[in-house]
């Protein structure tokens, strides 16, 4: 005789289903939770020491002079040019320096005046007044000059030093305006005027009275066509 029990299988089935559902819910929630890892992976790299095919601090190249001087050479240096032939102080005063002494020629190396330099075009100075150029006196002259001349002499000379007024070298042309007295003349009639602050241009003014006495007026005009300007002087000669 064995005792037997009655088991309600429906109740067991419901409990097992509930347990499985709860387990599934927990598993699904944990899928969205960030995984935690208490250990951090680390990688060590041994760079070795300098000389083991590794360069520290960039390129190790150095110029022959062991300095940081420029290794570039401008292509305007002629072949065989001696950089020590010109002192480093040459030209330090700038193109507008006055009274600095020395050469006032080109500042570029290799362009110093020598037998190999060929002058072309506008570098040549003019020696004659261009045909058709007009000499018109300004309403207000830049200067007024008085001179004396003996009427029975060969004439009187006046040295006129004109200061340059242009920023660069300019060709000039000098002559007396048509309304001037015929006794006046000037030389040279053409040339090149220095840049501002440079040397003055000397003009020789001559007055020949030819035996006549009186007061003669001459209006000297110095044209600077490239600068579109002019310099004017009113010269009064007293012949006695």
């Amino acid at each position: 005789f064995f005792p037997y029990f009655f088991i309600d299988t429906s109740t067991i089935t419901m409990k097992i289903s509930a347990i499985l559902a709860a387990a599934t819910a927990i598993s699904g929630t944990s899928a969205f939770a960030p995984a935690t890892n208490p250990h951090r992976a680390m990688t060590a790299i041994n760079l070795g020491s300098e000389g083991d095919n590794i360069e520290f601090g960039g390129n190790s190249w150095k110029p022959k002079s062991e300095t940081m001087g420029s290794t570039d050479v401008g292509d305007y240096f002629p072949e065989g040019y001696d950089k020590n032939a010109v002192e480093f102080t040459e030209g330090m005063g700038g193109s507008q320096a006055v009274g600095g002494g020395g050469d006032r020629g080109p500042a570029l190396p290799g362009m110093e005046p020598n037998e190999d330099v060929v002058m072309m075009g506008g570098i040549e100075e003019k020696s004659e007044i261009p045909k058709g150029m007009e000499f018109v006196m300004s309403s207000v002259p830049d200067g007024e000059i008085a001179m004396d001349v003996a009427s029975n002499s060969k004439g009187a000379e006046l040295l006129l030093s004109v200061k340059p007024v242009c920023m660069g070298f300019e060709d000039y042309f000098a002559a007396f305006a048509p309304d001037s007295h015929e006794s006046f003349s000037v030389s040279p009639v053409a040339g090149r005027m220095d840049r501002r602050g440079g040397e003055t241009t000397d003009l020789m003014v001559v007055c020949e009275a030819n035996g006549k006495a009186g007061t003669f007026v001459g209006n000297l005009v110095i044209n600077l066509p490239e600068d579109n300007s002019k310099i004017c002087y009113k010269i009064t000669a007293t012949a006695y």
Side-chain angles (χ1 to χ4, degrees), residues 93-101 104 195-199:
S95 61
Q96 302 301 321
V98 181
R104 291 178 57 83
R195 56 195 172 189
R196 182 182 301 174
E199 297 180 359

Side-chain angles (χ1 to χ4, degrees), residues 133-138 173-186 217-223 230-234:
M133 177 173 285
E134 296 181 351
F135 293 87
V136 181
M137 184 65 177
S138 300
F173 302 94
F176 280 90
D179 58 352
S180 301
H181 193 271
E182 58 183 10
S183 60
F184 288 101
S185 63
V186 62
V217 177
N219 294 319
L220 178 61
V221 180
I222 305 172
N223 284 336
K230 58 186 175 182
I231 304 173
C232 299
Y233 292 95
K234 180 180 180 180

Side-chain angles (χ1 to χ4, degrees), residues 2-240:
F2 295 96
Y4 58 91
F5 302 92
F6 293 97
I7 300 174
D8 189 354
T9 58
S10 62
T11 302
I12 295 175
T13 300
M14 292 177 62
K15 292 181 178 181
I16 292 174
S17 298
I19 293 172
L20 291 175
T24 301
I26 294 173
S27 176
T29 304
S30 63
F32 295 97
T36 57
N37 186 1
H39 302 287
R40 178 176 296 177
M42 300 183 66
T43 303
I45 300 177
N46 184 11
L47 294 178
S49 58
E50 188 171 1
D52 297 337
N53 296 327
I54 298 176
E55 296 290 346
F56 292 97
N59 196 336
S60 61
W61 178 88
K62 295 180 181 179
K64 293 182 180 180
S65 62
E66 294 295 324
T67 65
M68 294 304 293
S70 173
T71 58
D72 235 3
V73 178
D75 49 1
Y76 51 78
F77 284 98
E79 184 178 355
Y81 180 77
D82 184 7
K83 65 179 181 179
N84 297 319
V86 180
E87 295 292 337
F88 75 95
T89 55
E90 190 73 22
M92 290 180 64
S95 61
Q96 302 301 321
V98 181
D103 187 13
R104 291 178 57 83
L108 291 178
M111 295 294 289
E112 295 82 5
N114 56 67
E115 64 274 9
D116 296 327
V117 176
V118 179
M119 299 295 184
M120 300 180 63
I123 301 300
E124 298 178 356
E125 292 185 7
K126 304 294 183 181
S127 58
E128 297 180 356
I129 298 176
K131 186 178 181 180
M133 177 173 285
E134 296 181 351
F135 293 87
V136 181
M137 184 65 177
S138 300
S139 57
V140 179
D142 296 286
E144 296 188 17
I145 303 172
M147 60 183 298
D148 295 327
V149 56
S151 59
N152 57 353
S153 67
K154 294 182 179 180
E157 296 181 345
L158 172 67
L159 181 62
L160 180 61
S161 296
V162 183
K163 293 183 179 180
V165 295
C166 301
M167 295 300 294
F169 295 93
E170 297 286 346
D171 291 334
Y172 73 85
F173 302 94
F176 280 90
D179 58 352
S180 301
H181 193 271
E182 58 183 10
S183 60
F184 288 101
S185 63
V186 62
S187 63
V189 296
R192 173 154 298 177
M193 187 173 292
D194 203 343
R195 56 195 172 189
R196 182 182 301 174
E199 297 180 359
T200 58
T201 298
D202 292 334
L203 300 177
M204 182 62 68
V205 176
V206 177
C207 179
E208 297 178 350
N210 294 323
K212 299 178 181 180
T215 301
F216 310 141
V217 177
N219 294 319
L220 178 61
V221 180
I222 305 172
N223 284 336
L224 301 168
E226 294 183 5
D227 190 59
N228 195 26
S229 62
K230 58 186 175 182
I231 304 173
C232 299
Y233 292 95
K234 180 180 180 180
I235 300 177
T236 304
T238 302
Y240 54 90

